[in-house]
Amino acid sequence: MDADNVIETHGARKVFRDFWRRPVVEAVKGLDLTVRRGEVYGLLGPNGSGKSTTIKMLLGLLRPTSGTLCVFGAPPSDTQAKSRIGYLPEVSHLHPFLTPRETLMYYASLFGLGREDARRRTEELLKMVDLDHAADRAVGRFSKGMARRVGLAQALVNAPELLILDEPTSGLDPIGCREVKDLVRLLAKDGVSVLMTSHLLADVEDVCDRVAIMDRGELRAEGRIGELLRQPDAVRFLVAGLDEQAVAALRGTIESRVGHPVQQDYPSMSLEAYFLQVVASDGRLRAFEVAPFLKRQENAGAETRHA
Amino acid sequence: MALALRQLCAIALATWVEAIQQPVALLVQLTAVVMTLLVPVFQLHRFGEEGRLARDSGLSCMLVFGLVLAAGTAGRSVADEIARGTASAAIGKPVARATFLCAKWLGVFGVVAVFWSAVLAATLLSERCSAHFVVQEDFAGYATDPRTLALSLAGVAVGLLVAAARHFFWRRRFGVTAFLGVALSQILVSVLSGFYNRFGQFFAARGESACGCGGEHLHALLDWHPGLNGRVVAAAVLVLLALAVFAALATALATRLQTGAALAVCALALLLGLAGDTFAVNASVLSARGVAAGLLPDVQHFWMCDALANGGRIAWSYVGAVSAYAVTCCAIFLTAGCLSFRGRDLG
């Protein structure tokens, strides 16, 4: 395995079987995938395309029928490798009777963090995901969005080097989505590798360096977003402050050059940007701050590994 | 090793808190305790020995309700967590599957241990409250102990009220406080009942001991003579060991079966285990009956209720030997559970 790769799969295949061991469905068909250190990798695909199955195989929750999967050069069941991973499942699987504070302390103890260190990280994470006001309420009574925030916090409790996010923005309001995307960008800047799946293509487009598109268990396309989406025979100019006369002159020049009419429009902001602008006027959009212990990625990661 | 131990404790504690919160756990405990306490009220026959019905009923409640609690809790904390995804959330962390499963058993056993202590205290109190033949200066005849019975039932109510108050005023968990509160109330009443005789007279004031030996205790401010049958404790410890074995069996089964199915298999194992010496008599080792007898835990080892009849005692050396048997059974079931869980896909 290349030392620069955090995830490598070769011919990974998963067949689900029934009680009598008869094959029911082949969820993943010979997947070859590589995620490099420090990149944000998006796994896209319609429902049932095998994205979550791939993630679960990478975490050692599902056993591949054939093929090999390596995470940090080790098989997925290796606990040393797992101690460097943060995982946010598609549905936030939380103990309903525990509070967010207890939940984070519980997950911190699974990584072997000392009580004081666990407590400090818990408080920092609760503040980061904006749940410090609800830290002592049972998570079973939380809305889906709030539970998602707890799920996100638990995925970061070990200051992971590889973050696996399965539908991270599912159930979150636009503010939460924006915060998650900000977080992914900030963590990637700090050298954290991210593998994420999402149905919301705009989210993936906003944060991912490379994407792969899966369909019916097969990899259909893979590459850098810019390369995949480029239309080589089209050009777009975005200019501010032109009057009508200048626009008409420019249009005439271009049309005479290409020999056919050109499309002209006035760009509007996205609905998400407009929504956030409206909400920001109420002061609800806070400046997103990554938990301090996550900023010291190198130290925190080493600390966890030695614990 | 230290990390595995820390993970074991963390998962076991979370399992314990989660399980103890379940309304069904409190319901099972309340039913067992109240049923045990009410035996002296509805007792119509002595079965040849004072307090025997209360004692046997208490130990039966301990075994049957304990089995339901152990199998139900194991099912909920393993099978339901696998279905709900909380198991995969933990296994997705650097937690070995064997550590996870053993911690689950430990958490389940913790819940069973609290239940056991509540029912043991209730059994001791129930036996004391049953009609006993008493001879004193001013009285000779059968006497019950309504004060202790009332105190015990009031203890249950107080346990629930305290839990409700803590929940209302301080937002503390009702389930945890109630479950622990009921157990603690019965233990407290057991201790308190040692200060007075079955007529409600304090020993220090009256100057007599509970055993009626006529010793003078006037100089003592408070004299304590537990009028409880300590011989029951050894039989109860054996039942606790049986519950530990069934908790291990249920935990192992829950890696593949749903809660109801695991409970049904445990109930069947209990029945066959109790009848083991009957259906396995003269069975050759290689016959189906012999193999079944070898595989099933011999519950007869754990059910020594009759040994207490007419002042009988269970030797602690026997309890030690049965403990070794129980540990072996637990180890076998948990190993089988770990092997089964190792190959299980967690979707």
Side-chain angles (χ1 to χ4, degrees), chain A residues 134-239:
Chain A
D136 294 314
R137 279 163 49 192
V139 295
R141 294 174 181 274
F142 277 10
S143 67
K144 194 180 173 191
M146 287 172 85
R148 202 80 188 130
R149 286 166 186 266
V150 182
L152 185 62
Q154 66 79 26
L156 295 168
V157 77
N158 60 322
E161 292 170 61
L162 168 64
L163 191 58
I164 298 179
L165 306 171
D166 200 354
E167 304 286 348
T169 53
S170 152
L172 293 177
D173 60 19
I175 298 173
C177 291
R178 166 75 175 274
E179 286 176 352
V180 168
K181 287 192 276 185
D182 285 351
L183 175 72
V184 170
R185 279 197 211 103
L186 290 168
L187 290 173
K189 216 169 105 184
D190 260 358
V192 177
S193 314
V194 181
L195 169 64
M196 64 180 278
T197 70
S198 183
H199 291 299
L200 303 172
L201 304 183
D203 288 352
V204 175
E205 200 175 343
D206 282 351
V207 295
C208 290
D209 300 316
R210 280 199 306 148
V211 294
I213 298 175
M214 288 182 77
D215 187 28
R216 294 177 195 174
E218 288 177 355
L219 197 65
R220 300 282 188 190
E222 189 193 30
R224 302 195 76 80
I225 287 196
E227 292 164 7
L228 290 176
L229 302 183
R230 184 180 300 155
Q231 292 176 300
D233 59 343
V235 179
R236 178 189 290 171
F237 297 99
L238 205 62
V239 187

Side-chain angles (χ1 to χ4, degrees), chain A residues 79-114:
Chain A
T79 50
Q80 285 295 317
K82 278 193 199 176
S83 67
R84 300 162 72 181
I85 303 173
Y87 168 50
L88 172 68
E90 188 177 356
V91 180
S92 300
H93 306 302
L94 302 166
H95 292 277
F97 289 107
L98 297 184
T99 65
R101 184 171 278 123
E102 289 168 336
T103 302
L104 295 185
M105 287 294 286
Y106 167 66
Y107 283 111
S109 62
L110 297 187
F111 284 100
L113 293 178

Side-chain angles (χ1 to χ4, degrees), chain A residues 14 82 102 110 112 154, chain B residues 6-7 91 93 173 345:
Chain A
K14 179 65 188 176
K82 278 193 199 176
E102 289 168 336
L110 297 187
Q154 66 79 26
Chain B
R6 195 175 287 183
Q7 292 170 339
I91 303 290
K93 310 292 182 218
R173 295 186 175 96
D345 276 346

Side-chain angles (χ1 to χ4, degrees), chain B residues 156-347:
Chain B
V156 172
V158 168
L160 296 176
L161 284 173
V162 167
R166 274 170 61 85
H167 181 65
F168 184 80
F169 292 112
W170 296 287
R171 293 183 179 277
R172 301 287 179 191
R173 295 186 175 96
F174 175 81
V176 172
T177 316
F179 199 85
L180 293 175
V182 169
L184 198 64
S185 72
Q186 297 311 296
I187 294 167
L188 275 176
V189 174
S190 304
V191 174
L192 278 177
S193 68
F195 291 107
Y196 58 87
N197 65 13
R198 60 181 52 239
F199 301 104
Q201 297 156 326
F202 285 97
F203 293 128
R206 191 173 163 82
E208 65 171 17
S209 67
C211 57
C213 56
E216 289 295 324
H217 300 284
L218 284 170
H219 55 279
L221 184 65
L222 281 173
D223 217 347
W224 191 67
H225 295 280
L228 306 172
N229 183 0
R231 293 178 294 119
V232 175
V233 176
V237 170
L238 292 175
V239 174
L240 178 65
L241 292 170
L243 294 179
V245 171
F246 280 106
L249 176 62
T251 304
L253 290 169
T255 59
R256 294 281 170 176
L257 302 177
Q258 291 302 307
T259 308
L263 184 59
V265 174
C266 283
L268 189 67
L270 174 72
L271 290 174
L272 292 175
L274 279 171
D277 59 346
T278 311
F279 82 81
V281 69
N282 296 330
S284 88
V285 177
L286 295 176
S287 69
R289 283 188 303 149
V291 170
L295 286 174
L296 288 167
D298 190 345
V299 186
Q300 290 285 356
H301 291 320
F302 303 101
W303 187 246
M304 285 287 138
C305 211
D306 291 339
L308 301 177
N310 301 314
R313 282 185 181 278
I314 299 170
W316 283 104
S317 57
Y318 175 78
V319 177
V322 175
S323 301
Y325 176 69
V327 168
T328 310
C329 287
C330 288
I332 290 169
F333 289 141
L334 287 176
T335 306
C338 289
L339 289 172
S340 156
F341 193 45
R342 199 172 63 171
R344 168 93 201 244
D345 276 346
L346 301 172

Side-chain angles (χ1 to χ4, degrees), chain A residues 266-287:
Chain A
Y266 293 89
S268 56
M269 67 171 70
S270 69
L271 187 58
E272 182 193 358
Y274 179 71
F275 178 89
L276 292 173
Q277 189 180 300
V278 171
V279 175
S281 66
D282 290 352
R284 278 187 61 199
L285 188 62
R286 66 199 174 110

